[in-house]
Amino acid sequence: MQEILSNTEINQKINRLGHQLLENCFEEKEIFIGGIIGNGAILAKRIADIINANSDLTVHLFEIQLNKNKPWSEKITLTADKQRMENGYIVLVDDVLNSGKTMQYALTEILAFPTTAIKTIALVDRKHRRFPIKADFVGLSLSTTLKERVEIELSSDKQKAYLV
């Protein structure tokens, strides 16, 4: 197991991602930030906190619930009111972007209604795409082999990202 991001580096990258998003949506009055269940939701909350602390923008935080291994096997749900999100500025957040499968299936639920914009954020982008997804904002781009995987711990005081 090789550490690729320390606690300090993760905090710096999350702070930068929050500010990049804020710079990109400065003309909006409100945005909807959706974290994919697990680390994506934790990361979305941290980014929302940065936006709230640095702007008057109204942030609506929601969670995207889906089966990450077989996203087609269960209904994908959003914990936000879809009608309220119509014509909104939507941000999809996940910790690691690998094949793009999880984010692609989450996106299908959001594409069911009109939006102003959809942006994507990933803390780590591995670039092994099998689905047509790209991250608009990335903390770390990493070249790995297909056999390696990235594990991120965001729920403790000692955050770390590892290449396993």
Side-chain angles (χ1 to χ4, degrees):
M1 218 165 31
Q2 175 187 354
E3 182 178 308
I4 55 173
L5 290 173
S6 68
N7 184 60
T8 301
E9 291 169 324
I10 288 174
N11 286 333
Q12 289 170 340
K13 292 197 180 304
I14 292 172
N15 192 45
R16 183 170 51 84
L17 289 168
H19 283 89
Q20 284 179 315
L21 176 59
L22 187 54
E23 289 171 5
N24 192 264
C25 66
F26 71 94
E27 292 179 332
E28 301 297 322
K29 291 188 179 7
E30 66 179 357
I31 63 171
F32 297 85
I33 300 178
I36 294 174
I37 193 165
N39 277 343
I42 294 168
L43 183 57
K45 167 89 171 76
R46 302 247 329 255
I47 290 169
D49 290 344
I50 291 165
I51 301 240
N52 285 326
N54 292 285
S55 75
D56 294 331
L57 196 59
T58 301
V59 178
H60 303 280
L61 192 60
F62 67 97
E63 196 170 281
I64 302 159
Q65 299 169 339
L66 74 159
N67 179 330
K68 288 184 175 188
N69 295 323
K70 296 181 181 178
W72 57 88
S73 67
E74 299 170 20
K75 182 166 175 34
I76 298 167
T77 59
L78 309 178
T79 60
D81 179 6
K82 290 180 188 177
Q83 284 185 322
R84 187 133 197 260
M85 292 172 65
E86 279 189 15
N87 298 311
Y89 188 103
I90 315 290
V91 182
L92 286 176
V93 181
D94 205 2
D95 59 341
V96 179
L97 182 55
N98 184 25
S99 70
K101 176 176 68 176
T102 302
M103 205 169 273
Q104 177 74 37
Y105 276 91
L107 185 61
T108 60
E109 201 59 29
I110 291 169
L111 288 173
F113 53 89
T115 60
T116 299
I118 300 173
K119 299 293 178 183
T120 54
I121 294 178
L123 184 58
V124 177
D125 184 354
R126 290 191 51 210
K127 302 206 179 269
H128 291 295
R129 297 295 179 280
R130 288 182 289 156
F131 291 81
I133 289 289
K134 78 172 191 65
D136 294 300
F137 308 102
V138 176
L140 174 69
S141 290
L142 189 64
S143 294
T144 64
T145 67
L146 289 171
K147 292 182 181 181
E148 293 172 314
R149 69 180 196 280
V150 173
E151 289 186 10
I152 300 178
E153 175 57 49
L154 291 178
S155 59
S156 72
D157 292 340
K158 297 190 176 181
Q159 307 170 109
K160 299 256 189 235
Y162 294 100
L163 185 61
V164 182

